[in-house]
Amino acid sequence: KVYAVEASSMAEVIRQLADGNGMGTSIEVVGKPVELVRDDEVPQKVDLLVSEPIGTFLFNERMIESYLVARDRFLKPGGKMFPNIGDLYIAPFSDSILHWEQHNKNAFWKTNNFHGLDLTSMAKRCTEEQLRKPIVDYINPECLVSTAQFKRFDFTTISVESLKNIEVPFDFEISQPCLVHGMAGWFDAL
């Protein structure tokens, strides 16, 4: 038996696909967050958990916690999880083009005659707000200026409590003379 637990409206899509492919009796769709699933909706322990619990920079959307709740409630002892490991990486980078792009995103606010309005008084604030936001995008590995540091998270053993405060200590040796524009972060889920 397959239990498809899905909190979004995608649960109905899963149900229609299962029914449309003759698997409606084999796949039980539970359309709610895993934390709200009753014991009678998933009445037996499972051999395998497969999920896409990954958010931006591995933990940002806080879906890992739900994955761990599913593990603790529904996975048989010795059961498998996919993914079962998450590696979080961080390294300093230098990218003058990205730096220039970020500093010039406020071009609109540098307009001194927008239908009669002078917007320039907002340019400084816009730049400050823009530079506070993380940039979620690809970074060319050639822009990294030090060896990445990483921390491994074993989803088969880690506790929800341990994720409330994640620390990744780092110490970098910059490999070339440059201006460090920021810290790049990425992850692998295995």
Side-chain angles (χ1 to χ4, degrees), residues 15-24:
R15 186 173 287 115
Q16 286 179 314
L17 285 171
D19 291 344
N21 286 279
M23 294 182 258

Side-chain angles (χ1 to χ4, degrees), residues 46-184:
V46 299
D47 299 309
L48 173 69
L49 286 179
V50 178
S51 185
E52 187 279 306
I54 310 303
T56 305
F57 202 39
L58 193 58
F59 295 106
N60 188 48
E61 296 167 31
R62 308 309 293 190
M63 294 183 294
I64 296 288
E65 287 90 336
S66 294
Y67 188 45
L68 301 182
V69 166
R71 176 201 67 196
D72 295 344
R73 286 190 60 201
F74 302 117
L75 189 62
K76 286 181 182 176
K80 303 291 183 195
M81 297 175 69
F82 295 100
N84 58 31
I85 297 281
D87 289 335
L88 191 62
Y89 296 86
I90 188 168
F93 72 91
S94 181
D95 186 338
S96 57
I97 294 171
L98 177 63
H99 184 259
W100 181 88
E101 288 172 352
Q102 293 304 305
H103 275 277
N104 286 288
K105 283 193 172 184
N106 69 347
F108 172 75
W109 297 103
K110 293 179 181 177
T111 305
N112 62 8
N113 187 5
F114 181 74
H115 301 283
L117 291 175
D118 181 352
L119 305 177
T120 58
S121 63
M122 291 300 300
K124 182 177 186 280
R125 178 180 178 158
C126 177
T127 299
E128 289 171 355
E129 288 183 13
Q130 180 63 36
L131 294 176
R132 284 189 195 119
K133 296 178 186 177
I135 301 164
V136 181
D137 203 349
Y138 169 81
I139 187 160
N140 185 335
E142 293 177 9
C143 293
L144 302 178
V145 295
S146 183
T147 302
Q149 305 288 312
F150 88 99
K151 183 168 183 168
R152 174 161 281 182
F153 298 89
D154 182 345
F155 301 142
T156 64
T157 60
I158 196 167
S159 70
V160 171
E161 183 67 28
S162 71
L163 297 178
K164 290 184 178 177
N165 184 25
I166 298 171
E167 293 185 20
V168 181
F170 57 84
D171 185 17
F172 297 107
E173 187 172 317
I174 305 302
S175 59
Q176 62 195 43
C178 65
L179 177 61
V180 173
H181 291 111
M183 301 297 287

Side-chain angles (χ1 to χ4, degrees), residues 2-20:
V2 172
Y3 297 97
V5 178
E6 175 56 52
S8 76
S9 61
M10 189 57 70
E12 186 55 37
V13 173
I14 296 166
R15 186 173 287 115
Q16 286 179 314
L17 285 171
D19 291 344

